Amino acid sequence: MKTIAIVGAGVIGAGWAARCLAHGLDVVATDPGEGAEAKLRASVANAWPPLVRMGLAAGASLERLRFVATVADAVHDADFIQENAPEREDLKQALLAEIDAHARPDAIIATSTSGLLPTRLSAQMKNPARLVVGHPFNPVYLLPLVELVGGERTAPASIERASAFYKSLGMRPLHVKREIEGFVADRLMEALWREALWLVNDGVATTEEIDAAVVYGCGLRWSLMGTFLTFHLAGGDAGMRHMLHQFGPALKLPWTKLVAPELTDELIERVVGGCEHQAAGRSVKELEQRRDGFLIDLMGLVRKHWPENEGLAGRI
Ligand SMILES: NC(=O)c1ccc[n+]([C@@H]2O[C@H](COP(=O)([O-])OP(=O)(O)OC[C@H]3O[C@@H](n4cnc5c(N)ncnc54)[C@H](O)[C@@H]3O)[C@@H](O)[C@H]2O)c1
């Protein structure tokens, strides 16, 4: 893969562009939004210092980013196309059909959708065999995970080629074998998010207190071992079997709600006000820089303490 097309260049499209450029690839982007080219170049420039810190590949250059006016121009010469338009099924269906009509027959088409089903997204494509979901995580230029999901008509070879490509970008592909809404990681995050909103809604805790519960507790250990292995240790020497025996009954208690609360004006104000209080006047850009520096250090720590951990061995 040498030339990558980015269709839709907002938060996620710009993240993909930065990651691909850092790996020495040519990137051609398109986005119909007003001022989209300037915004894309500013986002990629912001991502560049952390990428330099991670180590650039030979030939990596910001000058290898081209912005073009149409989807046809963006995709016609691309080896791999990553679609990152807004999360609307009808919009993506039409856009993926347009990409399909102009792309080379051997090019792979990936969509960054957070949870829409690839079988439905490919409804208007002539060659649905080449469509895969390649669901990344923000910031795409640093986080290694990418969920791969095929639809009913996706060819296994397309999944394999996409997986090999993402690995070449230093990523950790996770093939989600069953096509389900929300895939794996967003289902988990959504469950936590719904509970967090309830806790704010019911006045149990502020946004800051809930974030403290994650930051000083479960979040620290999740970053090394995830949910299951963390709980394996919670069972003492007998591991997960004892943990299930001891805490299994609690699963029947009504601890969680899981159905999202109504986003009333009051809840929105509490959540937004809480986040603004936590940000304490720091801009999103400042917070992003702090997050990026931390993520690079954290990935180094995971590598150090779990060197056999697949997916964090690469450069970026
Ligand atoms: N933000 C996240 O954390 C995140 C994480 C993973 C996946 N995603 C997915 O990535 C995709 C993009 O999300 P985002 O957060 O970057 O949104 P965004 O709003 O930042 O960017 C969307 C971009 O698409 C452009 N656009 C609008 N219509 C278009 C069209 N017809 N063709 C091409 N581009 C078009 C917009 O101008 C905008 O720049 C969505 O499918 C979303 O679910 C988002």
Side-chain angles (χ1 to χ4, degrees):
M1 305 281 180
K2 186 178 167 297
T3 303
I4 312 305
I6 299 294
V7 178
V11 174
I12 295 303
W16 279 116
R19 187 165 202 120
C20 292
L21 291 165
H23 278 82
L25 299 170
D26 290 314
V27 174
V28 188
T30 193
D31 187 307
E34 213 185 307
E37 177 173 4
K39 283 187 207 155
L40 167 64
R41 291 194 186 278
S43 300
V44 172
N46 257 319
W48 210 245
L51 287 167
V52 167
R53 206 183 136 202
M54 293 288 284
L56 299 179
S61 166
L62 289 171
E63 284 169 20
R64 293 175 72 174
L65 173 62
R66 262 195 321 127
F67 190 90
V68 295
T70 66
V71 170
D73 282 345
V75 306
H76 81 274
D77 199 26
D79 302 300
F80 193 99
I81 297 142
Q82 187 80 35
E83 172 276 312
N84 324 279
E87 187 79 340
R88 272 184 32 215
E89 190 177 80
D90 56 341
L91 184 154
K92 282 192 191 283
Q93 281 172 335
L95 183 58
L96 289 166
E98 187 182 358
I99 293 171
D100 189 34
H102 295 286
R104 284 197 336 240
D106 61 326
I108 296 286
I109 302 174
T111 168
S112 293
T113 180
S114 298
L116 301 175
L117 299 180
T119 299
R120 293 177 61 93
L121 290 179
S122 71
Q124 297 167 26
M125 291 174 72
K126 290 221 166 58
N127 180 5
R130 55 161 147 185
L131 180 76
V132 300
V133 169
H135 174 227
F137 293 82
N138 190 40
V140 180
Y141 50 90
L142 291 181
L143 291 188
L145 185 66
V146 55
E147 290 180 313
L148 271 167
V149 193
E152 284 164 16
R153 289 164 298 175
T154 301
S158 302
I159 296 278
E160 281 160 29
R161 287 179 61 205
S163 179
F165 170 61
Y166 291 136
K167 275 187 192 159
S168 78
L169 294 180
M171 300 183 87
R172 165 65 161 93
L174 178 69
H175 183 193
V176 180
K177 309 232 177 28
R178 183 123 66 86
E179 188 184 17
I180 53 163
E181 292 92 347
F183 318 136
V184 172
D186 275 3
R187 283 205 166 198
L188 298 174
M189 288 193 294
E190 182 75 7
L192 184 65
W193 179 226
R194 288 178 185 197
E195 292 306 318
L197 289 175
W198 271 117
L199 291 168
V200 175
N201 187 69
D202 293 351
V204 176
T206 64
T207 62
E208 190 169 17
E209 287 164 346
I210 294 167
D211 282 351
V214 175
V215 168
Y216 300 109
C218 45
L220 284 172
R221 47 187 204 192
W222 276 338
S223 55
L224 188 68
M225 293 193 184
T227 293
F228 283 102
L229 204 52
T230 292
F231 279 165
H232 180 58
L233 274 57
D237 288 341
M240 180 55 96
R241 194 169 294 285
H242 179 65
M243 144 74 195
L244 289 174
H245 181 71
Q246 188 179 351
F247 296 107
L251 291 172
K252 306 259 190 228
L253 300 175
W255 279 5
T256 51
K257 298 198 174 182
L258 286 179
V259 176
E262 199 58 42
L263 279 181
T264 59
D265 289 347
E266 195 189 340
L267 178 54
I268 290 172
E269 285 321 307
R270 265 194 220 175
V271 170
V272 173
C275 288
E276 282 167 356
H277 171 73
Q278 287 173 262
R282 302 177 199 98
S283 69
V284 169
K285 280 275 162 293
E286 276 177 85
L287 294 171
E288 278 173 357
Q289 281 168 10
R290 203 178 277 223
R291 174 203 62 193
D292 288 356
F294 169 76
L295 284 176
I296 294 172
D297 288 344
L298 185 62
M299 287 190 284
L301 276 175
V302 174
R303 258 195 304 271
K304 177 177 165 198
H305 291 274
W306 202 291
E308 61 277 45
N309 200 326
E310 213 190 320
L312 282 169
R315 181 179 39 231
I316 294 175

